[in-house]
Amino acid sequence: MSTNAASHLSPAYPDRAPWGTAGKLRAWQQAALDEYLMREPRDFLAVATPGAGKTTFALRIATELLDRHLVQQITVVAPTEHLKHQWSEAARKVGIAIDPTYSGAVGGTSRDYTGIAVTYAGVAAHPMLHRARVENRRTLVILDEIHHAGDALAWGDAISEAFEPAARRLALTGTPFRSDVAPIPFVTYAPDAEGARRSVADFTYGYGAALGDGVVRPVIFMSYAGQMRWRTKAGDEIAASLGEPMTQDAVSQAWRTALDPAGNWMPSVLRAADKRLTEVRRSVPDAGGLVIATDHNAARAYARMLREITDESPTVVLSDDPKASSHIEKYSDGDKRWMVAVRMVSEGVDVPRLAVGVYATSISTPLFFAQAVGRFVRARRRGETASVFLPSVPLLVQFAHELELERDHVLDRKKRGEDDLWAEEEDLLADANAEKNEADLGEFAFKALESEATFDRVMFDGDDYGLAAQAGSAEEADYLGIPGLLEPEHVRTLLQRRQTRQIARQKGRTRADEDAPAAMPAEQRPVVSHQQLLSLRKELHTLVGAWHHQSGLPHGVIHNELRRSCGGPPAAQASAAELRSRIDRVRAWATERARQS
């Protein structure tokens, strides 16, 4: 191994460095390295935003310590199996041989290796084995995404037991710490002004600083709302607009309805995201897109939708697929448009060409959201932007606005009470521990009936742009067509211009409506009750479901064709006449098919 090789490793392994940084460590990496070498601490915590180059920084320290004979071997602890192999490949480039296949069941590795790469779960299974390794030889332990040591009490205890004797420990994280009362091993805590103990990083490099340095891409969040309708366990049918104020349970169920593959929300958002990807690829030809799904069934359904939209089969990465890592690597090295994954690429996995994302999962923790967005921010050239499409869910909107905020791991929480300022945070913690995945939400026995997407707004640099518009409208196209290669200040200027144009269009429509001939007097209009509208929507939904089984077409495609041929807004906003027209059209399709057969 050599410090020279480590110095010239791409500042953001595995891809080339961003403009102006090739051939040398980035400023933050050099500053952190200088701090480390000056202090020579046993424990060091580096907090750096995803895409900043934590792997390169850690391997630079490893080569220094090995060359100076301060350590004799390396142990890398990573969250996932895929990341073990990624660390091994990066270390190989600087002459450090890391065994990513090391198993506690075997207990040994070849002498050709300078170290091993294991998972947190692997350490928890054999803590004493790892303790013996670090006791026998002076070891640098690299704890990648150290917050995972707090995922379970047993994991934290195992990490402490296994690596307490280590000569050096380097902890890394790129996402907000968990906010619970379980201390993370080898992290220093200090009291704040209120007496609560907060984690203390030895070096911090946040998203805001990285954005200013051009190290990461600015993120444009495209938020989509829409009309949702679902049936509860009690048999009640509920209609609500995603993004409007409602109870937490209602938000969760509206969110699930939006993500349901049988509805029209996901096809509309995927079409919009693909249009955005097409625009980005005009200036970044190999730009890729990623859909993060909640579960395997949804991932496969989204992949089918993308195949219909793009005429290209996306890469599908499932957590139980033994070839998942190879699928990710093949996608990363190619130029295929889309990848669909279930959590596999939420953290640490480097696919630098990802530029467009769809957050199509029901996980609502700040940690997971930060990890997911981190997959899109790695900059390769000056001016690249990232675009993330997400549901207009209050928590996600809040996370998007707070992207640049940094959180510390806080201990010593006060007990809950009516005046407990931490009560809301404790509720978020409960959500985080439950992770709000498909198993949790499965407790709500309901059926998603109908969903329609509407463009809600664009969020960029803490500000909102745009007014609500129909999916597929000219207003939506304006925002999707923003060039993919722009400086942040130019993105802001274009967003402001498009918002001004949209407002002008809406004012023009209002004047046109005022000048239009008077409509039928109210007393002459047929009266349609809410129950009648609900009955018509149910009838349409039933017929669309029947036509789906006859034709094999997805529900969303059928609804789109009905809107195209009959006109009018989404079904949840359509008038009684428009609903009857669509009902007649589906019946006509069925009659025609019966006649042909």
Side-chain angles (χ1 to χ4, degrees):
M1 87 293 300
S2 73
T3 54
N4 182 61
S7 296
H8 289 82
L9 184 67
S10 170
Y13 173 83
D15 211 66
R16 63 182 182 274
W19 179 87
T21 62
K24 63 181 180 180
L25 290 178
R26 288 174 173 159
W28 84 263
Q29 292 167 330
Q30 187 63 56
L33 176 65
D34 292 343
E35 177 75 13
Y36 185 90
L37 296 179
M38 178 187 71
R39 292 172 45 198
E40 295 192 353
R42 187 180 182 196
D43 287 295
F44 192 89
L45 170 62
V47 178
T49 191
K54 292 184 295 296
T55 302
T56 296
F57 165 68
L59 291 175
R60 182 67 172 83
I61 287 180
T63 57
E64 286 280 353
L65 297 181
L66 289 168
D67 284 352
R68 298 183 185 189
H69 304 290
L70 296 174
V71 300
Q72 298 168 294
Q73 65 180 10
I74 309 293
T75 294
V76 177
V77 187
T80 66
E81 290 290 325
H82 180 84
L83 287 177
K84 291 194 316 181
H85 292 271
Q86 189 166 285
W87 271 98
S88 176
E89 177 61 20
R92 182 188 63 79
K93 292 178 180 290
V94 298
I96 302 177
I98 297 290
D99 181 6
T101 64
Y102 177 86
S103 169
V106 177
T109 188
S110 169
R111 293 181 180 179
D112 293 331
Y113 290 111
T114 308
I116 60 173
V118 294
T119 62
Y120 285 94
V123 175
H126 303 281
M128 297 310 296
L129 174 64
H130 291 280
R131 184 182 181 94
R133 281 181 56 83
V134 301
E135 284 178 335
N136 291 335
R137 302 186 72 194
R138 293 191 303 277
T139 305
L140 165 66
V141 179
I142 299 174
L143 297 157
D144 188 22
E145 303 296 352
I146 181 64
H147 52 269
H148 283 282
D151 281 354
L153 183 61
W155 283 22
D157 291 343
I159 294 296
S160 297
E161 183 71 26
F163 301 125
E164 189 279 328
R168 298 287 181 94
R169 292 178 292 256
L170 175 60
L172 308 170
T173 185
T175 51
F177 270 129
R178 294 151 49 94
S179 298
D180 56 18
V181 293
I184 295 174
F186 313 126
V187 171
T188 300
Y189 293 87
D192 62 12
E194 298 180 355
R197 290 175 292 166
R198 289 184 175 270
S199 61
V200 178
D202 296 282
F203 195 91
T204 299
Y205 186 64
Y207 175 78
L211 184 62
D213 292 342
V215 168
V216 295
R217 299 167 177 155
V219 182
I220 304 171
F221 290 99
M222 305 281 188
S223 178
Y224 278 74
Q227 293 295 317
M228 308 294 141
R229 189 167 64 88
W230 65 90
R231 182 181 298 122
T232 67
K233 183 178 180 180
D236 298 326
E237 290 195 8
I238 298 177
S241 296
L242 190 67
E244 292 185 353
M246 61 182 92
T247 66
Q248 184 174 349
D249 283 350
V251 169
S252 297
Q253 294 176 34
W255 189 352
R256 275 193 76 185
T257 303
L259 300 182
D260 184 72
N264 196 35
W265 194 91
M266 275 302 301
S268 297
V269 172
L270 289 178
R271 277 191 293 273
D274 189 66
K275 290 177 182 177
R276 177 67 188 146
L277 181 59
T278 296
E279 184 62 42
V280 173
R281 285 170 75 104
R282 296 182 193 278
S283 50
V284 186
D286 69 337
L290 167 67
V291 180
I292 301 177
T294 298
D295 57 42
H296 292 188
N297 290 335
R300 295 187 182 98
Y302 300 159
R304 289 192 293 270
M305 293 178 193
L306 286 170
R307 187 163 55 247
E308 293 175 0
I309 293 169
T310 66
D311 291 327
E312 175 185 281
S313 295
T315 296
V316 180
V317 181
L318 304 177
S319 54
D320 60 355
D321 185 354
K323 296 183 179 180
S325 292
S326 62
H327 291 331
I328 294 173
E329 291 172 4
K330 184 177 180 180
Y331 175 84
S332 181
D333 294 337
D335 63 356
K336 184 176 283 191
R337 293 178 71 88
W338 284 99
M339 175 165 59
V340 183
V342 182
R343 298 193 186 181
M344 279 294 294
V345 288
S346 65
E347 178 179 61
V349 175
D350 288 298
V351 185
R353 69 186 189 89
L354 287 177
V356 176
V358 179
Y359 193 88
T361 175
S362 52
I363 301 175
S364 61
T365 68
L367 178 61
F368 187 88
F369 184 83
Q371 292 168 351
V373 174
R375 298 314 98 215
F376 307 97
V377 301
R378 184 181 300 283
R380 299 182 302 169
R381 57 186 292 195
R382 192 177 182 90
E384 288 184 338
T385 60
S387 303
V388 177
F389 290 70
L390 47 80
S392 294
V393 173
L395 267 179
L396 299 187
V397 171
Q398 176 186 342
F399 296 159
H401 279 306
E402 295 178 351
L403 181 64
E404 297 181 22
L405 297 184
E406 297 168 14
R407 301 170 61 204
D408 296 318
H409 186 215
V410 184
L411 304 179
D412 306 319
R413 286 289 161 76
K414 299 176 183 179
K415 293 183 179 179
R416 292 176 63 93
E418 292 183 1
D419 59 346
D420 182 6
L421 297 177
W422 292 105
E424 183 178 356
E425 179 67 17
E426 294 291 353
D427 291 337
L428 289 177
L429 169 62
D431 287 345
N433 288 337
E435 288 191 315
K436 285 218 169 181
N437 55 27
E438 63 275 13
D440 304 317
L441 290 174
E443 296 173 2
F444 300 97
F446 79 91
K447 180 177 177 59
L449 299 178
E450 191 175 32
S451 64
E452 298 286 347
T454 57
F455 172 77
D456 187 13
R457 69 185 112 166
V458 176
M459 291 169 281
F460 180 74
D461 196 25
D463 292 324
D464 291 345
Y465 301 89
L467 306 174
Q470 294 296 331
S473 65
E475 287 84 356
E476 178 198 46
D478 257 0
Y479 294 100
L480 298 178
I482 292 173
L485 203 61
L486 286 172
E487 294 294 335
E489 59 271 19
H490 297 153
V491 174
R492 192 177 302 106
T493 299
L494 282 180
L495 287 172
Q496 291 170 344
R497 288 178 180 173
R498 276 153 173 74
Q499 180 171 265
T500 300
R501 185 187 307 169
Q502 184 183 8
I503 292 172
R505 282 174 176 165
Q506 292 204 356
K507 287 182 177 178
R509 292 193 189 107
T510 301
R511 285 194 296 269
D513 292 341
E514 292 173 351
D515 295 338
M520 182 185 298
E523 61 272 13
Q524 298 179 21
R525 298 176 198 161
V527 177
V528 181
S529 70
H530 171 72
Q531 289 299 326
Q532 288 174 312
L533 281 174
L534 189 60
S535 177
L536 288 169
R537 292 193 193 109
K538 289 172 63 176
E539 183 179 359
L540 177 61
H541 181 78
T542 300
L543 290 172
V544 167
W547 185 246
H548 158 72
H549 290 297
Q550 287 188 41
S551 66
L553 294 173
H555 289 67
V557 172
I558 298 171
H559 278 290
N560 271 347
E561 177 57 25
L562 288 171
R563 287 182 61 191
R564 188 193 66 77
S565 58
C566 300
Q573 303 168 6
S575 66
E578 289 165 338
L579 290 171
R580 292 190 185 100
S581 174
R582 296 178 197 185
I583 289 170
D584 292 342
R585 182 58 56 90
V586 179
R587 286 174 173 160
W589 290 343
T591 301
E592 180 65 23
R593 170 161 289 199
R595 185 181 300 118
Q596 292 176 354
S597 61

